[in-house]
Amino acid sequence: MEEPEFSASGPFGVFGPEELLACYARGVFPMADARDDPRVYLIEPDQRGVVPLERFHIPSRLRRTVRGDPFQVRVDTAFAAVLDACAASAPGREDTWINDPIRRLYIELHARGHAHSLECWRDEVLVGGLYGVTLGGAFFGESMFSRARDASKVALVHLVARLRKGGWSLLDAQFLTEHLSQFGAVETPQAAYLRMLKPALRLTPDTGVLTAPMTGAEAVDYALQPTTQAS
């Protein structure tokens, strides 16, 4: 299901960061058909991809990888670079849904503290990561990229660890993919998703947890903990 589009001819005059947050709060999100297409559509899918935080799964090989700290994991030190890497062409993904209006909206959300990037660095080179939007106790995952083996997967484990430690209750993945299925992601009807979203938005998680240092071993432990642990 798609809602009306808005145009790059001046989205901040009609549709800006506050309007975008309001869309997330009612269960829709933006996408573009292509990088060079100025139109942006608000999407409300019939089926929604969700990563249940309390049932997050880490394959055994990846657990060992994360515990070994193969990357330096940073948060919010290169948001624009992560966004641009997610928008870049890659094998099997020659085009992108991230166009200029969307890029500007997320840069503004980041400046306001509502959008965050999880980054994997090796020898001071950004080799993987992800970004998303936080609103209340819901985190809306937007996109990820990887230029080194397991980099985006390590970033996801670190994200889930921080969400669980800080008291978030919902990780929205938009659509179910084979990549996310290995972590326990499921598909749920939009109506059921909205029932999960409403109480999540009322939560006040500890946002400081997102940027606090965390080792790989700690990330695995928090991501797999049986109950939410606030600190």
Side-chain angles (χ1 to χ4, degrees):
M1 182 184 304
E2 294 184 357
E3 296 201 350
E5 69 190 57
F6 64 90
S7 167
S9 61
F12 289 103
V14 177
F15 192 97
E18 292 303 321
E19 288 76 20
L20 180 54
L21 289 176
C23 285
Y24 279 112
R26 60 187 178 90
V28 301
F29 55 87
M31 293 190 78
D33 280 340
R35 179 187 295 106
D36 297 327
D37 188 339
R39 296 170 298 175
V40 176
Y41 297 89
L42 297 175
I43 308 298
E44 184 179 21
D46 294 329
Q47 297 289 323
R48 198 67 171 248
V50 174
V51 180
L53 294 173
E54 73 282 0
R55 299 195 302 275
F56 187 68
H57 173 72
I58 309 175
S60 57
R61 183 193 64 80
L62 183 61
R63 292 188 198 188
R64 295 191 295 271
T65 298
V66 177
R67 289 183 182 278
D69 288 315
F71 311 107
Q72 183 183 26
V73 178
R74 305 176 188 172
V75 181
D76 289 343
T77 70
F79 182 85
V82 171
L83 185 60
D84 291 342
C86 289
S89 298
R93 190 192 66 191
E94 283 66 37
D95 213 338
T96 177
W97 58 268
I98 302 172
N99 62 8
D100 186 61
I102 286 178
R103 185 183 189 278
R104 287 187 283 127
L105 279 168
Y106 286 109
I107 292 292
E108 181 62 25
L109 283 185
H110 174 64
R112 298 183 181 202
H114 280 288
H116 300 278
S117 59
L118 272 287
E119 310 144 11
C120 289
W121 296 79
R122 176 180 285 164
D123 299 327
E124 296 303 313
V125 176
L126 180 64
V127 295
L130 58 83
Y131 77 96
V133 172
T134 183
L135 187 63
F139 191 95
F140 307 89
E142 287 297 322
S143 190
M144 59 176 60
F145 80 100
S146 188
R147 294 172 181 161
R149 184 182 184 186
D150 293 331
S152 63
K153 296 177 183 179
V154 170
L156 178 60
V157 172
H158 272 263
L159 171 65
V160 169
R162 287 163 167 79
L163 297 182
R164 299 212 66 194
K165 183 180 181 184
W168 278 260
S169 66
L170 176 63
L171 175 53
D172 170 36
Q174 298 181 346
F175 300 106
L176 180 64
T177 65
E178 183 178 351
H179 175 74
L180 291 174
S181 294
Q182 66 186 302
F183 298 101
V186 297
E187 196 170 58
T188 186
Q190 178 74 357
Y193 169 80
L194 293 175
R195 289 193 294 271
M196 292 186 283
L197 176 62
K198 187 174 181 179
L201 294 174
R202 293 196 293 264
L203 297 177
T204 306
D206 181 1
T207 55
V209 169
L210 282 176
T211 55
M214 183 178 289
T215 67
E218 291 171 332
V220 170
D221 290 345
Y222 278 117
L224 298 179
Q225 65 188 6
T227 56
T228 301
Q229 180 176 333
S231 66

